[in-house]
Each structure stands twice: as structure tokens, then as C-alpha cells.
Amino acid sequence: MKSKETYMQELKKWLQDTSDSSLEEMSSFFTKRLDDYEEHMSVWEKSYQIFAGLLPSNCQEILDLGCGSGLELDKIWQRDPDIKVTGVDLCQSMLDKLLEKHPDKPFTAVCQDYFQYDFGIDRWDAVISFESLHHFFPDPKKELYQKIFQCLKGDSVFILGDYIACCEDEEELLRSVYLKKREQSAIPDNCFVHFDIPLTLAHEKGLLQDVGFVVENVIENPDNATILIARKALR
């Protein structure tokens, strides 16, 4: 496993090598990479399996935020083909691929910004998200986590698998590069672009706890992703 120093050196070099590359609008980014997206994401095979195993045994209906082509759902439906899923994603082509793979599954596709989508209140047995939320700043994420907390039924779980910054230096470096790129390209605030701005584990847990979640478990780096299991604490 790389040391933090080696990792940061390699990250800084990559950022320098790609300094001239422009930011791409989120949906367009994934549409262009649709053909080899699943091969690219296969590095997280262990995490997809873990996701399926972490769902409550009595889980009947879940909300998947940033579901893409449904790689985590492939494993979940292998375990229980009757679980009802609503998947929210900005990219219609990804949702179309998911529907093509699973035409017989109880799935509702929603092509929308999940920050704006109405999750409802006390509706879901679980909410899941994998490798999606590291593209956003803490304040909107905290608002989203509040929505997730409210939409879960009592004593239900939010399962988050994501890219976690190794340290505050990585968090601050990526954020500064991201803001500089947005400013250089005059990208409006309401435009989502593809660039990684992950939080440290402490900051990610802090946001969840601030809205009322109890972080029950953290599974670190099964395949370079981190999985957090956050339960809706009964008040």
C-alpha cells in the first residue's frame, strides 16, 4: 500500500499533467464513456458485493442515488430479485443501459438532479449511493444527508460507498484545483461537472452525524473505496 507521501506526490503530478484539460458537464462525461464504463468500474467488485450484504434482511424498497448503470444493483438483485429500487441519475444513457440489463426487475428510473428530487418522508427501507457524492461540496451534501435522514423509515440505513480523501491536504488541493478550473472556464454555479473533490473520513462522518445519523461501521478500502453504514437514530 502506498504511503501518504507517495500518493500525494503522484496526485500532484497527475494534476499538473492534466492542468490544461477542461471540465466536462457531468451527464455528458458519462455518456461519452458509456461503452467502457462498466469495465472501468469493475475495480470495485468487492464493494458491490459488500453493498448487497449490508442491506437489512427485511429491506423491500430502496433509493439509489447516482445509480449509473446499476453495478451495485446487479449484486443486490442477485441476492433478492424482488427488492424495489428507485434509481436517480443525471445521465439518461446510463439509466437506459440499466433498464436494458434488467427489464424484468422492479425498477423506477428517475433522470434528475438528486439534490432537487423529492425523496419523501419516512418512505425508504434503505438509501444507497456508490462513487457519486465525492463530486460535491460539504454544504450541499449536508442538505442532501438531511433529506436522506428524513426520507428513511425509522431505524433504517444509509449505505455510502465513496472516494475518501487520505488527508486534509488532499481535500484542500483538489478543491483549489476544482475552483480554479471552474473560474477559468466561467462555469455557472448550477452546472454539475466531473471532478473529484472528496472529503476526509472525519469530515464525511461529521456531516452524517450533524444531521442525526449514527455511523455504525466504516469498511475502509476493500478495493480503494470506503463504505460507511449510517443508521437513522430513533429520537
Side-chain angles (χ1 to χ4, degrees):
M1 188 174 181
K2 295 178 185 176
S3 68
K4 184 179 77 172
E5 291 74 17
T6 299
Y7 173 79
M8 289 299 296
Q9 288 173 0
E10 292 179 355
L11 177 60
K12 289 174 183 177
K13 184 178 185 306
W14 178 81
L15 289 170
Q16 184 176 15
D17 292 344
T18 59
S19 60
D20 293 333
S21 62
S22 301
L23 296 175
E24 296 181 63
E25 188 274 329
M26 192 79 76
S27 179
S28 176
F29 176 91
F30 286 105
T31 296
K32 290 177 183 177
R33 292 158 179 81
L34 182 63
D35 290 342
D36 51 7
Y37 170 79
E38 294 203 349
E39 181 180 357
H40 172 73
M41 297 290 283
S42 65
V43 296
W44 289 301
E45 179 72 15
K46 290 180 183 176
S47 290
Y48 297 134
Q49 293 281 7
I50 290 170
F51 251 57
L54 289 172
L55 284 175
S57 58
N58 61 346
C59 189
Q60 297 182 341
E61 192 167 7
I62 67 175
L63 176 65
D64 189 347
L65 304 178
C67 60
S69 63
L71 289 167
E72 64 275 13
L73 298 178
D74 294 345
K75 306 302 182 186
I76 288 170
W77 279 322
Q78 283 178 12
R79 193 192 93 168
D80 185 348
D82 296 323
I83 288 182
K84 297 178 181 177
V85 179
T86 294
V88 186
D89 201 282
L90 280 174
C91 185
Q92 184 62 55
S93 58
M94 285 285 177
L95 291 170
D96 290 342
K97 185 167 186 175
L98 195 162
L99 289 163
E100 181 182 338
K101 288 195 303 179
H102 297 290
D104 60 333
K105 296 297 189 296
F107 178 71
T108 301
V110 179
C111 187
Q112 191 175 334
D113 163 14
Y114 48 59
F115 290 96
Q116 301 300 320
Y117 181 64
D118 183 3
F119 298 170
I121 303 294
D122 297 328
R123 177 178 175 186
W124 308 95
D125 298 311
V127 176
I128 63 174
S129 184
F130 189 82
E131 291 293 333
S132 181
L133 289 169
H134 61 275
H135 299 116
F136 307 108
F137 279 125
D139 285 348
K141 284 176 74 170
K142 184 174 179 179
E143 292 180 9
L144 184 73
Y145 291 166
Q146 183 67 59
K147 284 175 57 178
I148 294 171
F149 186 89
Q150 292 172 342
C151 81
L152 284 167
K153 295 176 182 177
D155 201 35
S156 296
V157 293
F158 171 40
I159 305 173
L160 172 65
D162 217 345
Y163 168 18
I164 296 294
C166 72
C167 56
E168 290 189 15
D169 287 345
E170 180 183 7
E171 186 179 301
E172 293 168 4
L173 173 63
L174 289 171
R175 192 176 299 181
S176 66
V177 172
Y178 170 77
L179 289 171
K180 183 178 179 181
K181 282 178 174 284
R182 287 195 76 111
E183 182 180 4
Q184 288 174 337
S185 300
I187 297 171
D189 292 342
N190 62 352
C191 178
F192 292 130
V193 292
H194 186 271
F195 191 86
D196 297 341
I197 47 172
L199 301 180
T200 63
L201 181 58
H203 290 165
E204 196 74 65
K205 289 173 66 176
L207 291 182
L208 291 164
Q209 291 164 342
D210 284 347
V211 303
F213 279 111
V214 174
V215 179
E216 287 191 333
N217 194 13
V218 177
I219 304 170
E220 293 192 65
N221 301 319
D223 39 26
N224 293 319
T226 298
I227 299 173
L228 294 89
I229 302 92
R231 187 167 297 277
K232 180 175 181 177
L234 296 176
R235 293 174 174 172

Coordinates of all heavy atoms in Angstrom, one line a residue, residues 62-138:
I62 N -35.7 0.5 -1.9 CA -34.6 1.3 -1.7 C -34.5 2.4 -2.7 O -35.0 2.3 -3.8 CB -33.3 0.5 -1.7 CG1 -33.0 -0.1 -3.1 CG2 -33.3 -0.6 -0.6 CD1 -31.6 -0.8 -3.1
L63 N -33.7 3.4 -2.3 CA -33.5 4.6 -3.2 C -32.0 4.6 -3.5 O -31.1 4.5 -2.5 CB -33.9 5.9 -2.5 CG -33.6 7.2 -3.2 CD1 -34.4 7.3 -4.5 CD2 -33.9 8.4 -2.3
D64 N -31.6 4.6 -4.7 CA -30.2 4.6 -5.1 C -29.8 5.9 -5.8 O -30.4 6.3 -6.9 CB -29.9 3.4 -6.1 CG -28.5 3.2 -6.4 OD1 -27.6 4.1 -6.1 OD2 -28.1 2.1 -7.0
L65 N -28.9 6.7 -5.2 CA -28.6 8.0 -5.7 C -27.3 7.9 -6.5 O -26.3 7.5 -6.1 CB -28.3 8.9 -4.5 CG -29.5 9.1 -3.5 CD1 -29.1 10.0 -2.4 CD2 -30.8 9.5 -4.2
G66 N -27.4 8.3 -7.8 CA -26.3 8.2 -8.7 C -26.1 6.8 -9.1 O -25.0 6.3 -9.1
C67 N -27.2 6.1 -9.5 CA -27.1 4.7 -9.7 C -26.4 4.2 -11.0 O -25.9 3.1 -11.1 CB -28.6 4.1 -9.8 SG -29.6 4.8 -11.2
G68 N -26.1 5.2 -11.9 CA -25.4 4.8 -13.1 C -26.1 3.7 -13.9 O -27.3 3.6 -14.0
S69 N -25.3 2.7 -14.3 CA -25.8 1.5 -15.0 C -26.2 0.4 -14.0 O -26.5 -0.7 -14.5 CB -24.8 1.0 -16.0 OG -23.6 0.6 -15.4
G70 N -26.1 0.7 -12.7 CA -26.6 -0.3 -11.8 C -25.7 -1.4 -11.4 O -26.1 -2.5 -11.0
L71 N -24.4 -1.2 -11.3 CA -23.5 -2.2 -10.9 C -23.7 -2.8 -9.5 O -23.6 -4.0 -9.2 CB -22.0 -1.8 -11.1 CG -21.6 -1.6 -12.5 CD1 -20.3 -0.8 -12.6 CD2 -21.5 -2.9 -13.2
E72 N -24.0 -1.8 -8.6 CA -24.3 -2.3 -7.2 C -25.7 -3.0 -7.2 O -25.9 -4.0 -6.4 CB -24.3 -1.2 -6.2 CG -25.4 -0.1 -6.5 CD -24.9 1.0 -7.5 OE1 -23.9 0.8 -8.2 OE2 -25.6 2.0 -7.5
L73 N -26.6 -2.6 -8.1 CA -27.9 -3.3 -8.2 C -27.8 -4.7 -8.8 O -28.6 -5.5 -8.4 CB -28.9 -2.4 -9.0 CG -29.2 -1.0 -8.4 CD1 -30.1 -0.2 -9.3 CD2 -29.8 -1.1 -7.0
D74 N -26.8 -4.9 -9.6 CA -26.6 -6.3 -10.1 C -26.5 -7.2 -9.0 O -27.1 -8.3 -9.0 CB -25.3 -6.3 -11.0 CG -25.4 -5.5 -12.3 OD1 -26.6 -5.1 -12.7 OD2 -24.4 -5.2 -12.9
K75 N -25.7 -6.9 -8.0 CA -25.4 -7.7 -6.8 C -26.6 -7.8 -5.9 O -26.9 -8.9 -5.3 CB -24.2 -7.3 -6.1 CG -23.0 -7.1 -6.9 CD -22.6 -8.4 -7.6 CE -21.3 -8.2 -8.5 NZ -21.0 -9.3 -9.3
I76 N -27.3 -6.7 -5.7 CA -28.5 -6.6 -4.8 C -29.6 -7.5 -5.4 O -30.2 -8.3 -4.6 CB -28.9 -5.2 -4.6 CG1 -27.9 -4.4 -3.8 CG2 -30.3 -5.1 -4.0 CD1 -28.1 -2.9 -3.7
W77 N -29.8 -7.5 -6.7 CA -30.9 -8.3 -7.3 C -30.5 -9.7 -7.4 O -31.4 -10.6 -7.4 CB -31.3 -7.7 -8.6 CG -32.2 -6.6 -8.5 CD1 -33.3 -6.4 -7.6 CD2 -32.2 -5.4 -9.3 NE1 -33.9 -5.2 -7.9 CE2 -33.3 -4.6 -8.9 CE3 -31.5 -4.9 -10.4 CZ2 -33.6 -3.3 -9.5 CZ3 -31.8 -3.7 -11.0 CH2 -32.8 -2.9 -10.5
Q78 N -29.2 -10.1 -7.4 CA -28.8 -11.5 -7.3 C -29.2 -12.0 -5.9 O -29.6 -13.2 -5.8 CB -27.3 -11.6 -7.4 CG -26.8 -11.5 -8.9 CD -25.3 -11.6 -9.0 OE1 -24.6 -11.9 -8.0 NE2 -24.8 -11.2 -10.1
R79 N -29.1 -11.2 -4.9 CA -29.5 -11.6 -3.5 C -31.0 -11.7 -3.4 O -31.5 -12.6 -2.8 CB -28.9 -10.6 -2.5 CG -29.0 -11.1 -1.1 CD -28.7 -10.0 -0.1 NE -29.9 -9.4 0.3 CZ -30.0 -8.5 1.4 NH1 -28.9 -8.2 2.0 NH2 -31.2 -8.0 1.7
D80 N -31.7 -10.7 -3.9 CA -33.1 -10.6 -3.8 C -33.7 -9.9 -5.0 O -33.7 -8.7 -5.1 CB -33.5 -9.9 -2.5 CG -35.0 -9.9 -2.3 OD1 -35.8 -10.2 -3.2 OD2 -35.4 -9.5 -1.2
P81 N -34.2 -10.7 -6.0 CA -34.7 -10.1 -7.2 C -36.0 -9.3 -7.1 O -36.4 -8.6 -8.0 CB -34.9 -11.3 -8.1 CG -35.1 -12.4 -7.2 CD -34.2 -12.2 -6.0
D82 N -36.6 -9.4 -5.9 CA -37.9 -8.7 -5.7 C -37.7 -7.3 -5.0 O -38.7 -6.6 -4.8 CB -38.8 -9.6 -4.8 CG -39.2 -10.8 -5.5 OD1 -39.4 -10.8 -6.8 OD2 -39.3 -11.9 -4.9
I83 N -36.5 -6.9 -4.6 CA -36.3 -5.6 -4.0 C -36.7 -4.5 -5.0 O -36.2 -4.5 -6.1 CB -34.9 -5.4 -3.5 CG1 -34.7 -6.3 -2.2 CG2 -34.6 -4.0 -3.1 CD1 -33.3 -6.1 -1.6
K84 N -37.6 -3.6 -4.6 CA -38.0 -2.5 -5.4 C -36.9 -1.4 -5.3 O -36.5 -1.0 -4.2 CB -39.3 -2.0 -5.0 CG -40.5 -3.0 -5.2 CD -41.8 -2.4 -4.8 CE -42.9 -3.4 -4.9 NZ -44.2 -2.9 -4.4
V85 N -36.5 -0.8 -6.4 CA -35.5 0.2 -6.4 C -36.0 1.4 -7.3 O -36.5 1.2 -8.4 CB -34.2 -0.3 -7.0 CG1 -33.1 0.8 -7.0 CG2 -33.7 -1.6 -6.3
T86 N -35.7 2.6 -6.7 CA -35.9 3.8 -7.5 C -34.4 4.3 -7.6 O -33.7 4.6 -6.6 CB -36.7 4.9 -6.8 OG1 -38.1 4.4 -6.7 CG2 -36.7 6.2 -7.5
G87 N -34.0 4.5 -8.9 CA -32.6 5.0 -9.1 C -32.7 6.4 -9.7 O -33.4 6.6 -10.7
V88 N -31.9 7.3 -9.1 CA -31.9 8.7 -9.6 C -30.5 9.0 -10.2 O -29.5 8.7 -9.5 CB -32.2 9.7 -8.4 CG1 -32.2 11.1 -9.0 CG2 -33.4 9.3 -7.7
D89 N -30.4 9.4 -11.4 CA -29.2 9.7 -12.0 C -29.4 10.8 -13.1 O -30.4 10.9 -13.7 CB -28.6 8.5 -12.7 CG -27.1 8.5 -13.0 OD1 -26.7 9.2 -13.9 OD2 -26.4 7.9 -12.2
L90 N -28.3 11.6 -13.2 CA -28.4 12.7 -14.2 C -28.3 12.3 -15.7 O -28.7 13.0 -16.6 CB -27.2 13.7 -14.0 CG -27.4 14.8 -12.9 CD1 -26.0 15.5 -12.7 CD2 -28.5 15.7 -13.2
C91 N -27.7 11.1 -15.9 CA -27.4 10.6 -17.2 C -28.4 9.6 -17.7 O -28.5 8.4 -17.3 CB -26.0 10.0 -17.2 SG -25.4 9.5 -18.8
Q92 N -29.2 10.0 -18.7 CA -30.3 9.1 -19.2 C -29.7 7.9 -19.9 O -30.2 6.8 -19.8 CB -31.1 9.9 -20.2 CG -32.3 9.1 -20.8 CD -33.3 8.7 -19.7 OE1 -33.8 9.6 -18.9 NE2 -33.6 7.4 -19.5
S93 N -28.5 8.0 -20.6 CA -27.9 6.9 -21.3 C -27.5 5.8 -20.3 O -27.6 4.6 -20.6 CB -26.7 7.3 -22.1 OG -25.8 7.9 -21.3
M94 N -27.1 6.2 -19.1 CA -26.8 5.2 -18.0 C -28.0 4.5 -17.6 O -28.0 3.3 -17.4 CB -26.1 5.9 -16.9 CG -24.7 6.3 -17.1 SD -23.6 4.8 -17.1 CE -22.0 5.6 -17.5
L95 N -29.1 5.3 -17.3 CA -30.3 4.7 -16.9 C -30.9 3.7 -18.0 O -31.4 2.6 -17.7 CB -31.4 5.7 -16.6 CG -31.1 6.6 -15.4 CD1 -32.0 7.8 -15.3 CD2 -31.2 5.8 -14.1
D96 N -30.7 4.1 -19.2 CA -31.2 3.2 -20.3 C -30.4 1.9 -20.4 O -31.0 0.8 -20.6 CB -31.0 3.9 -21.7 CG -32.0 5.1 -21.9 OD1 -33.0 5.2 -21.2 OD2 -31.7 5.9 -22.8
K97 N -29.1 2.0 -20.1 CA -28.3 0.7 -20.0 C -28.8 -0.2 -18.9 O -28.9 -1.4 -19.0 CB -26.9 1.1 -19.9 CG -26.0 -0.1 -19.9 CD -24.5 0.2 -20.1 CE -23.6 -1.0 -20.3 NZ -22.2 -0.6 -20.6
L98 N -29.1 0.5 -17.7 CA -29.6 -0.3 -16.6 C -30.9 -1.0 -16.9 O -31.1 -2.2 -16.6 CB -29.7 0.6 -15.4 CG -29.9 0.0 -14.0 CD1 -29.6 1.1 -12.9 CD2 -31.3 -0.5 -13.7
L99 N -31.8 -0.3 -17.5 CA -33.1 -0.8 -17.9 C -33.0 -1.9 -18.9 O -33.7 -2.9 -18.9 CB -34.0 0.3 -18.4 CG -34.5 1.3 -17.4 CD1 -35.0 2.6 -18.1 CD2 -35.6 0.7 -16.5
E100 N -32.0 -1.8 -19.8 CA -31.7 -2.8 -20.8 C -31.2 -4.1 -20.1 O -31.6 -5.2 -20.5 CB -30.7 -2.3 -21.8 CG -30.4 -3.3 -22.9 CD -29.3 -2.7 -23.9 OE1 -29.1 -1.5 -23.9 OE2 -28.6 -3.6 -24.5
K101 N -30.4 -3.9 -19.1 CA -29.8 -5.1 -18.4 C -30.9 -5.8 -17.6 O -30.9 -7.0 -17.4 CB -28.7 -4.7 -17.5 CG -27.4 -4.3 -18.2 CD -26.2 -4.3 -17.2 CE -26.5 -3.3 -16.0 NZ -25.4 -3.3 -15.0
H102 N -31.8 -5.0 -17.0 CA -32.8 -5.6 -16.0 C -34.2 -5.2 -16.4 O -34.9 -4.5 -15.6 CB -32.4 -5.1 -14.6 CG -31.1 -5.5 -14.1 ND1 -30.8 -6.8 -13.8 CD2 -29.9 -4.8 -13.9 CE1 -29.6 -6.9 -13.4 NE2 -29.0 -5.7 -13.4
P103 N -34.7 -5.6 -17.5 CA -36.0 -5.2 -18.0 C -37.1 -5.8 -17.1 O -38.3 -5.3 -17.1 CB -36.1 -5.7 -19.4 CG -35.2 -6.9 -19.4 CD -34.0 -6.5 -18.5
D104 N -36.8 -6.9 -16.4 CA -37.8 -7.6 -15.6 C -37.8 -7.2 -14.1 O -38.6 -7.7 -13.3 CB -37.6 -9.1 -15.7 CG -36.3 -9.6 -15.3 OD1 -35.3 -8.7 -15.3 OD2 -36.1 -10.7 -14.9
K105 N -36.9 -6.3 -13.7 CA -36.8 -6.0 -12.3 C -37.7 -4.9 -11.9 O -38.1 -4.0 -12.7 CB -35.4 -5.6 -11.9 CG -34.4 -6.8 -12.1 CD -34.7 -7.9 -11.2 CE -33.6 -9.0 -11.2 NZ -33.4 -9.7 -12.5
P106 N -38.1 -4.8 -10.6 CA -39.0 -3.7 -10.1 C -38.2 -2.4 -9.9 O -37.8 -2.1 -8.8 CB -39.5 -4.3 -8.8 CG -38.5 -5.2 -8.3 CD -37.8 -5.8 -9.6
F107 N -37.9 -1.7 -11.0 CA -37.1 -0.6 -11.0 C -37.8 0.6 -11.6 O -38.4 0.6 -12.7 CB -35.8 -0.9 -11.8 CG -34.8 0.3 -11.9 CD1 -34.1 0.7 -10.8 CD2 -34.7 1.0 -13.1 CE1 -33.3 1.8 -10.9 CE2 -33.8 2.1 -13.2 CZ -33.1 2.5 -12.1
T108 N -37.6 1.8 -10.9 CA -38.1 3.0 -11.4 C -36.9 4.0 -11.7 O -36.2 4.2 -10.8 CB -39.1 3.7 -10.4 OG1 -40.2 2.8 -10.1 CG2 -39.6 5.0 -10.9
A109 N -36.8 4.4 -12.9 CA -35.7 5.3 -13.3 C -36.1 6.7 -13.2 O -37.2 7.1 -13.7 CB -35.2 4.9 -14.7
V110 N -35.3 7.5 -12.6 CA -35.5 9.0 -12.5 C -34.3 9.7 -13.0 O -33.3 9.7 -12.4 CB -35.8 9.4 -11.0 CG1 -36.1 10.9 -11.0 CG2 -37.0 8.6 -10.5
C111 N -34.4 10.4 -14.2 CA -33.3 11.2 -14.7 C -33.5 12.6 -14.2 O -34.2 13.4 -14.7 CB -33.4 11.1 -16.2 SG -31.9 11.9 -17.0
Q112 N -32.7 12.8 -13.1 CA -32.9 14.1 -12.4 C -31.7 14.4 -11.5 O -31.0 13.4 -11.1 CB -34.2 14.1 -11.6 CG -34.6 15.5 -11.0 CD -36.0 15.5 -10.4 OE1 -36.8 14.6 -10.7 NE2 -36.2 16.4 -9.4
D113 N -31.5 15.6 -11.1 CA -30.5 16.0 -10.1 C -31.1 15.6 -8.8 O -32.2 16.0 -8.3 CB -30.4 17.5 -10.2 CG -29.8 18.2 -9.0 OD1 -29.2 17.5 -8.1 OD2 -29.9 19.4 -8.9
Y114 N -30.3 14.7 -8.1 CA -30.9 14.2 -6.8 C -30.9 15.2 -5.7 O -31.5 15.0 -4.7 CB -30.2 12.9 -6.4 CG -28.7 12.8 -6.4 CD1 -27.9 13.6 -5.6 CD2 -28.1 11.8 -7.1 CE1 -26.5 13.5 -5.6 CE2 -26.7 11.6 -7.1 CZ -25.9 12.5 -6.3 OH -24.5 12.4 -6.3
F115 N -30.2 16.3 -5.9 CA -30.3 17.4 -4.9 C -31.7 18.0 -5.0 O -32.2 18.6 -4.0 CB -29.3 18.5 -5.1 CG -27.9 18.0 -4.7 CD1 -27.0 17.5 -5.7 CD2 -27.4 18.0 -3.4 CE1 -25.7 17.1 -5.4 CE2 -26.2 17.6 -3.1 CZ -25.3 17.1 -4.1
Q116 N -32.4 17.9 -6.1 CA -33.7 18.5 -6.3 C -34.8 17.5 -6.2 O -36.0 17.9 -6.0 CB -33.8 19.2 -7.7 CG -32.7 20.3 -7.9 CD -32.8 21.4 -6.9 OE1 -34.0 21.8 -6.6 NE2 -31.7 21.9 -6.5
Y117 N -34.5 16.2 -6.3 CA -35.6 15.2 -6.3 C -36.2 15.1 -4.9 O -35.5 15.2 -3.9 CB -35.0 13.9 -6.7 CG -35.9 12.7 -6.8 CD1 -37.0 12.7 -7.7 CD2 -35.8 11.6 -6.0 CE1 -37.9 11.7 -7.7 CE2 -36.7 10.6 -6.0 CZ -37.7 10.6 -6.9 OH -38.6 9.6 -6.9
D118 N -37.5 14.9 -4.9 CA -38.3 14.8 -3.6 C -38.2 13.3 -3.2 O -38.8 12.4 -3.8 CB -39.7 15.2 -3.9 CG -40.6 15.1 -2.6 OD1 -40.0 14.8 -1.5 OD2 -41.8 15.4 -2.7
F119 N -37.5 13.1 -2.0 CA -37.3 11.8 -1.5 C -38.5 11.3 -0.7 O -38.6 10.1 -0.4 CB -36.1 11.7 -0.6 CG -34.8 12.0 -1.2 CD1 -33.6 12.2 -0.5 CD2 -34.6 12.1 -2.6 CE1 -32.4 12.4 -1.1 CE2 -33.4 12.4 -3.2 CZ -32.3 12.6 -2.4
G120 N -39.4 12.2 -0.3 CA -40.5 11.9 0.6 C -40.0 11.8 2.0 O -38.9 12.1 2.4
I121 N -41.0 11.4 2.9 CA -40.7 11.4 4.3 C -41.1 9.9 4.8 O -42.1 9.4 4.5 CB -41.6 12.4 5.1 CG1 -41.3 13.8 4.6 CG2 -41.3 12.3 6.6 CD1 -39.9 14.3 4.9
D122 N -40.1 9.4 5.6 CA -40.4 8.0 6.2 C -40.8 7.0 5.1 O -41.7 6.2 5.3 CB -41.4 8.1 7.3 CG -40.9 8.9 8.4 OD1 -39.7 9.0 8.7 OD2 -41.8 9.6 9.1
R123 N -40.1 7.0 4.0 CA -40.6 6.2 2.8 C -39.7 5.0 2.5 O -40.3 3.9 2.1 CB -40.6 7.1 1.6 CG -41.0 6.4 0.3 CD -41.1 7.2 -0.9 NE -41.4 6.5 -2.1 CZ -41.4 7.0 -3.3 NH1 -41.1 8.2 -3.5 NH2 -41.6 6.2 -4.4
W124 N -38.4 5.1 2.7 CA -37.5 4.0 2.2 C -36.9 3.1 3.3 O -36.7 3.6 4.4 CB -36.3 4.7 1.4 CG -36.8 5.6 0.4 CD1 -36.9 7.0 0.5 CD2 -37.2 5.3 -0.9 NE1 -37.4 7.6 -0.6 CE2 -37.6 6.6 -1.6 CE3 -37.3 4.2 -1.7 CZ2 -38.0 6.6 -2.9 CZ3 -37.8 4.2 -3.0 CH2 -38.1 5.4 -3.6
D125 N -36.7 1.9 3.0 CA -36.1 0.9 3.9 C -34.6 1.1 3.9 O -33.9 0.8 4.9 CB -36.4 -0.5 3.5 CG -37.9 -0.8 3.5 OD1 -38.5 -0.5 4.6 OD2 -38.4 -1.4 2.5
A126 N -34.0 1.7 2.8 CA -32.6 2.0 2.8 C -32.4 2.9 1.6 O -33.1 3.0 0.7 CB -31.8 0.7 2.6
V127 N -31.3 3.8 1.8 CA -30.8 4.6 0.7 C -29.4 4.2 0.5 O -28.6 4.0 1.5 CB -30.9 6.1 1.1 CG1 -30.3 7.0 0.0 CG2 -32.4 6.5 1.3
I128 N -29.0 4.1 -0.8 CA -27.6 3.8 -1.1 C -27.0 4.7 -2.1 O -27.8 5.4 -2.9 CB -27.5 2.3 -1.6 CG1 -28.2 2.2 -2.9 CG2 -28.0 1.3 -0.6 CD1 -28.0 0.8 -3.6
S129 N -25.7 4.9 -2.1 CA -25.0 5.7 -3.1 C -23.6 5.2 -3.2 O -22.9 5.0 -2.2 CB -25.0 7.1 -2.7 OG -24.4 7.9 -3.8
F130 N -23.1 4.9 -4.4 CA -21.8 4.4 -4.6 C -21.0 5.3 -5.6 O -21.4 5.5 -6.7 CB -21.8 3.0 -5.1 CG -20.4 2.3 -5.1 CD1 -19.9 1.8 -3.9 CD2 -19.7 2.3 -6.2 CE1 -18.6 1.3 -3.9 CE2 -18.4 1.7 -6.2 CZ -17.9 1.2 -5.1
E131 N -19.9 5.8 -5.2 CA -18.9 6.6 -6.0 C -19.7 7.7 -6.8 O -19.5 7.9 -8.0 CB -18.2 5.7 -7.0 CG -17.2 4.7 -6.3 CD -16.0 5.5 -5.7 OE1 -15.7 6.5 -6.2 OE2 -15.5 4.9 -4.7
S132 N -20.4 8.5 -6.1 CA -21.2 9.6 -6.7 C -21.0 10.9 -6.0 O -20.8 12.0 -6.6 CB -22.6 9.3 -6.8 OG -23.4 10.3 -7.4
L133 N -21.0 10.9 -4.6 CA -21.1 12.1 -3.8 C -19.8 12.8 -3.6 O -19.8 13.9 -3.1 CB -21.7 11.8 -2.5 CG -23.2 11.5 -2.6 CD1 -23.7 10.9 -1.3 CD2 -24.0 12.7 -2.9
H134 N -18.7 12.2 -4.1 CA -17.4 12.9 -4.0 C -17.2 14.0 -5.0 O -16.1 14.6 -5.0 CB -16.2 11.9 -4.1 CG -16.2 11.2 -5.4 ND1 -16.9 10.1 -5.7 CD2 -15.5 11.4 -6.5 CE1 -16.7 9.6 -6.9 NE2 -15.8 10.5 -7.4
H135 N -18.2 14.3 -5.7 CA -18.2 15.4 -6.7 C -18.7 16.7 -6.2 O -18.8 17.7 -6.9 CB -18.9 15.1 -8.0 CG -18.4 13.9 -8.7 ND1 -19.1 12.7 -8.8 CD2 -17.2 13.6 -9.3 CE1 -18.4 11.8 -9.5 NE2 -17.2 12.4 -9.8
F136 N -19.1 16.7 -4.9 CA -19.8 17.9 -4.4 C -19.2 18.4 -3.0 O -18.6 17.7 -2.3 CB -21.3 17.5 -4.2 CG -21.9 16.9 -5.4 CD1 -22.2 15.5 -5.4 CD2 -22.2 17.7 -6.5 CE1 -22.7 15.0 -6.6 CE2 -22.7 17.1 -7.6 CZ -23.0 15.8 -7.7
F137 N -19.5 19.7 -2.8 CA -19.0 20.4 -1.6 C -19.8 20.0 -0.3 O -20.9 19.5 -0.4 CB -19.1 21.9 -1.8 CG -18.0 22.5 -2.6 CD1 -18.3 23.2 -3.8 CD2 -16.7 22.3 -2.2 CE1 -17.2 23.8 -4.5 CE2 -15.6 22.9 -3.0 CZ -15.9 23.6 -4.1
P138 N -19.2 20.3 0.8 CA -19.9 19.9 2.1 C -21.3 20.4 2.3 O -22.2 19.7 2.8 CB -18.9 20.3 3.1 CG -17.6 20.4 2.5 CD -17.9 20.8 1.1

